Amino acid sequence: MELEGTLIPLWIKLAYTIFVAITVPVYAVKYSHGNFLWFSDITLLATVAALWLESPLLASMMAVGTLLPDVLWNLSFFGQLLTGKRVSGLTEYMFDPQKPLYLRAISLFHVFLPVLLVWMIARLGYEPTAWIAQTVLAWIVLPLSYWLTDPEENVNWVFGLGGKPQTWMPPLAYLALLLIGFPLLIYLPTHLLLEAVFG
């Protein structure tokens, strides 16, 4: 079902919105509110708006921000699923029997969301200013993650790469490195790739 003059079928908008409407209250009960500062969760929410508004900028921003991390997430998850060996700590929680199966199943949005975002860009077009807009968003979200969340949660890795806070440099200096590193090492390469394919 597709309304005349729209680029994204209504059933996709509805199905995705229902999934997010179920996910948000579950996450709100099971995790701290700081969990919603994860870039992947921001993408989960912002994609609802991108779908209904059919916004190339929002879709492009979310793709620039999460495609590379989600590729690594999928390599880690499916690598461990197929081999039984830990690939990285990125998806370790997916194999933690202490976490309810339904909660881990919800995290499988990391599998379909990158595909949906790329499909949306193919339909709507790629917005070249997305990596700048995503950088501005990161410069807001990363400090908020540092100030508002628990170091043990390590949201967006603002306290260190991996599970534990880093100790090899002052915390604010490390945060400053992230503010530079995210745009240059994650957003810019993804932007260049998307622009080359869809620009």
Side-chain angles (χ1 to χ4, degrees):
M1 183 177 183
E2 192 168 349
L3 297 177
E4 190 175 341
T6 63
L7 295 172
I8 297 176
L10 181 61
W11 72 267
I12 292 179
K13 296 175 181 178
L14 289 172
Y16 185 82
T17 302
I18 291 168
F19 173 78
V20 173
I22 293 169
T23 300
V24 168
V26 171
Y27 275 14
V29 169
K30 291 294 183 179
Y31 297 118
S32 71
H33 293 329
N35 189 74
F36 289 105
L37 286 172
W38 278 104
F39 286 118
S40 57
D41 287 350
I42 291 171
T43 298
L44 186 71
L45 294 169
T47 300
V48 175
L51 281 168
W52 287 99
L53 297 173
E54 299 194 352
S55 167
L57 176 60
L58 273 178
S60 300
M61 282 176 64
M62 297 305 104
V64 164
T66 58
L67 277 184
L68 181 55
D70 272 343
V71 166
L72 297 176
W73 191 98
N74 278 278
L75 289 173
S76 179
F77 174 69
F78 286 107
Q80 186 165 346
L81 188 67
L82 294 173
T83 66
K85 296 179 181 178
R86 180 180 182 272
V87 177
S88 76
L90 199 59
T91 56
E92 202 164 344
Y93 70 99
M94 292 293 288
F95 301 92
D96 182 359
Q98 300 297 319
K99 293 190 182 299
L101 184 59
Y102 74 87
L103 194 59
R104 289 179 279 158
I106 288 175
S107 279
L108 290 174
F109 75 81
H110 288 282
V111 177
F112 69 78
L113 188 52
V115 177
L116 175 61
L117 288 169
V118 170
W119 177 83
M120 287 172 67
I121 290 172
R123 297 278 285 189
L124 302 173
Y126 177 68
E127 173 53 57
T129 60
W131 87 275
I132 296 171
Q134 181 64 26
T135 296
V136 173
L137 179 63
W139 286 347
I140 296 168
V141 171
L142 289 171
L144 286 177
S145 301
Y146 181 84
W147 289 318
L148 300 179
T149 65
D150 191 318
E152 290 185 1
E153 296 174 328
N154 201 14
V155 172
N156 295 317
W157 310 292
V158 292
F159 296 100
L161 296 177
K164 296 181 179 179
Q166 61 84 28
T167 56
W168 53 278
M169 68 187 307
L172 289 179
Y174 172 79
L175 178 61
L177 273 183
L178 282 190
L179 292 172
I180 298 168
F182 267 82
L184 290 183
L185 302 178
I186 297 176
Y187 303 159
L188 183 57
T190 308
H191 157 72
L192 293 174
L193 177 62
L194 291 173
E195 192 172 47
V197 175
F198 300 108

